[in-house]
Amino acid sequence: MGLSKTIWTDLSEFLRATRPETPVLFFSPAALQATARRFLSGFPGLVTYAVKSNPEETVIENLTAAGVHGFDVASPFEMRMIRRLAPEAALHYNNPVRSRSEIGVAVSLGVTSYSVDSRSELAKLIDLVPAKGTEIAVRFKLPVSGAAYNFGAKFGATADLSVELLKTVAEAGFIPSLTFHPGTQCTDPGAWEHYIRAAGGIARGAGVKIARLNVGGGFPSHRLNGQPPQLEAIFALIDRVATETFGADRPALVCEPGRGLVADAFAVAAPVKAVRDGAHVFLNDGVYGSLTELNMIGVINRTVVLTPEGQKRAGAPRNLIVFGPTCDSVDRLPGEMLLPGDIAEGDHLVFFGMGAYSTVTNTRFNGFGELSIATVLSLKI
Ligand SMILES: *Cc1c(COP(=O)(O)O)cnc(C)c1O
């Protein structure tokens, strides 16, 4: 992946000047810092960044510059990278299943916050991590929907098991906390309400006063026209419900957004390779490239089509089937996309809100997947 040092005014200028044939991710540091400030000023607690959603170093550096000083990390690679780029930042190791050697790396890097969702993994932490000054957050799950897909399918203890784990954490001398993840792209604020009230029940059931409640990631990005994310409404609800639930014992709050912080700071411009017989659009990017997520959580309809000169197409909209470049029939975007009817070979189909789970899940399948990043002052067209 090439990183251009030049800062371009906007997408059109870049496309006109360079005529790229491979997909380009446009990054607006100003947009990223603005979203970071929205979280930092609106969320009633500590804002950390889930590194897996976009581990580009420029993203980490811009978040740090904006005032984000905590990171949710899941692997030795991520821990070492953050230690290098932001040596003073707090590392929250919230991947609840770890090998013993991974735990060893965390201890050697001074990690003092872990999450856990099982007896066997808690036993490993008790064995290997010094308890004094170290937080262990029990990750619990509920059968709650509202997100684009169910995160509870892999991680999270039931409420009953969480009561037991929380007691064990406290008895072993660790700082006891609770954590959950409502599922990614969670557009229903009610999901947080269910989880926070359940956290209250678990803490009471265990007879443990929790130090912190980590309300996860899951904050939505702007994928659909006319449906901007309601971040401030979610923050206000979290604040109110935390007070109602815990009263005088209200824990400090933590959030760990990935998508909600980074997605809207990037747009992808995918070259149109062909419009086959006027009916099928073939892009030089697809579900094995930076558009991996679209088949899992649904299409993004915040798009524009730009001509090779960087002009916006405005032909009468048509429903079109859109394919990626590989020879695999799975490489197709879900459903049909309503696109300007005059879309043509050599154009670029631009998807907004593409900063999360795009650069990092791109593959080189079938020889495609060469991505570059261009920095722009603004993502406005
Ligand atoms: C992936 C992940 C996140 C970020 O999720 P988003 O939906 O991108 O906000 C936060 N916390 C944990 C533990 C995760 O695994």
Side-chain angles (χ1 to χ4, degrees):
M1 191 170 307
L3 183 62
S4 162
K5 291 291 175 200
T6 312
I7 298 185
W8 301 81
T9 306
D10 58 21
L11 286 66
S12 296
E13 183 193 45
F14 179 89
L15 295 175
R16 225 176 12 251
T18 71
R19 311 265 167 160
E21 299 206 352
T22 50
V24 180
L25 275 141
F26 290 95
F27 170 46
S28 164
L32 181 61
Q33 294 209 22
T35 308
R37 283 193 293 274
R38 209 172 150 191
F39 270 90
L40 289 164
S41 63
F43 182 76
L46 177 69
V47 178
T48 67
Y49 172 60
V51 173
K52 78 168 185 287
S53 60
N54 188 329
E56 287 294 317
E57 297 196 355
T58 175
V59 167
I60 307 300
E61 286 161 355
N62 275 281
L63 288 173
T64 306
V68 173
H69 302 307
F71 294 87
D72 163 36
V73 289
S75 60
F77 177 91
E78 290 183 354
M79 289 187 267
R80 291 194 179 104
M81 180 181 69
I82 299 299
R83 272 288 176 262
R84 177 166 54 80
L85 297 175
E88 305 300 318
L91 297 179
H92 295 178
Y93 190 2
N94 285 344
N95 179 347
V97 179
R98 313 163 182 86
S99 71
R100 286 172 194 273
S101 70
E102 287 169 339
I103 296 170
V105 172
V107 170
S108 74
L109 292 174
V111 173
T112 55
S113 179
Y114 298 78
S115 72
V116 81
D117 68 353
S118 64
R119 297 184 185 99
S120 55
E121 293 302 301
L122 177 54
K124 274 191 209 169
L125 291 180
I126 291 174
D127 215 17
L128 298 170
V129 181
K132 196 171 173 338
T134 296
E135 168 183 60
I136 296 182
V138 175
R139 177 157 167 186
F140 67 99
K141 67 174 170 190
L142 299 175
V144 164
S145 63
Y149 63 81
N150 178 10
F151 264 43
K154 183 165 181 183
F155 293 134
T158 61
D160 286 347
L161 177 58
S162 298
V163 168
E164 178 195 321
L165 294 173
L166 191 61
K167 275 191 206 158
T168 310
V169 166
E171 283 162 12
F174 291 90
I175 299 166
S177 290
L178 285 170
T179 185
F180 62 85
H181 192 304
T184 202
Q185 186 66 16
C186 185
T187 49
D188 176 11
W192 277 276
E193 170 152 15
H194 284 289
Y195 270 98
I196 294 168
R197 294 198 191 284
I202 292 166
R204 280 191 298 278
V208 169
K209 182 172 183 295
I210 57 170
R212 297 205 286 191
L213 175 62
N214 181 333
V215 301
F219 299 88
S221 67
H222 195 179
R223 298 177 72 85
L224 299 178
N225 277 317
Q227 294 181 30
Q230 303 294 312
L231 294 179
E232 285 72 16
I234 298 172
F235 299 155
L237 178 137
I238 288 171
D239 195 28
R240 173 175 62 76
V241 176
T243 297
E244 283 174 18
T245 303
F246 291 95
D249 285 345
R250 175 171 153 149
L253 298 176
V254 181
C255 68
E256 49 186 16
R259 179 192 308 284
L261 258 178
V262 77
D264 292 329
F266 285 78
V268 168
V272 177
K273 294 175 68 170
V275 183
R276 189 173 64 178
D277 293 339
H280 295 157
V281 175
F282 278 70
L283 302 177
N284 201 7
D285 195 9
V287 305
Y288 292 102
S290 69
L291 306 174
T292 311
E293 260 210 337
L294 271 56
N295 267 354
M296 285 182 269
I297 75 168
V299 79
I300 290 181
N301 75 3
R302 286 182 62 227
T303 58
V304 294
V305 175
L306 298 178
T307 67
E309 288 71 42
Q311 300 293 316
K312 210 165 154 175
R313 292 251 183 229
R318 287 198 285 151
N319 271 314
L320 290 163
I321 291 175
V322 180
F323 288 106
T326 71
C327 295
D328 187 341
S329 53
V330 167
D331 194 5
R332 174 192 161 166
L333 301 190
E336 295 184 347
M337 289 185 72
L338 194 58
L339 296 172
D342 53 348
I343 186 172
E345 181 180 337
D347 288 353
H348 281 86
L349 174 50
V350 178
F351 297 82
F352 294 97
M354 284 297 303
Y357 311 109
S358 53
T359 58
V360 73
T361 47
N362 177 55
T363 74
R364 300 306 302 258
F365 178 47
N366 228 178
F368 298 101
E370 185 183 330
L371 285 182
S372 49
I373 294 187
T375 303
V376 287
L377 286 179
S378 164
L379 292 171
K380 296 211 171 64
I381 299 284

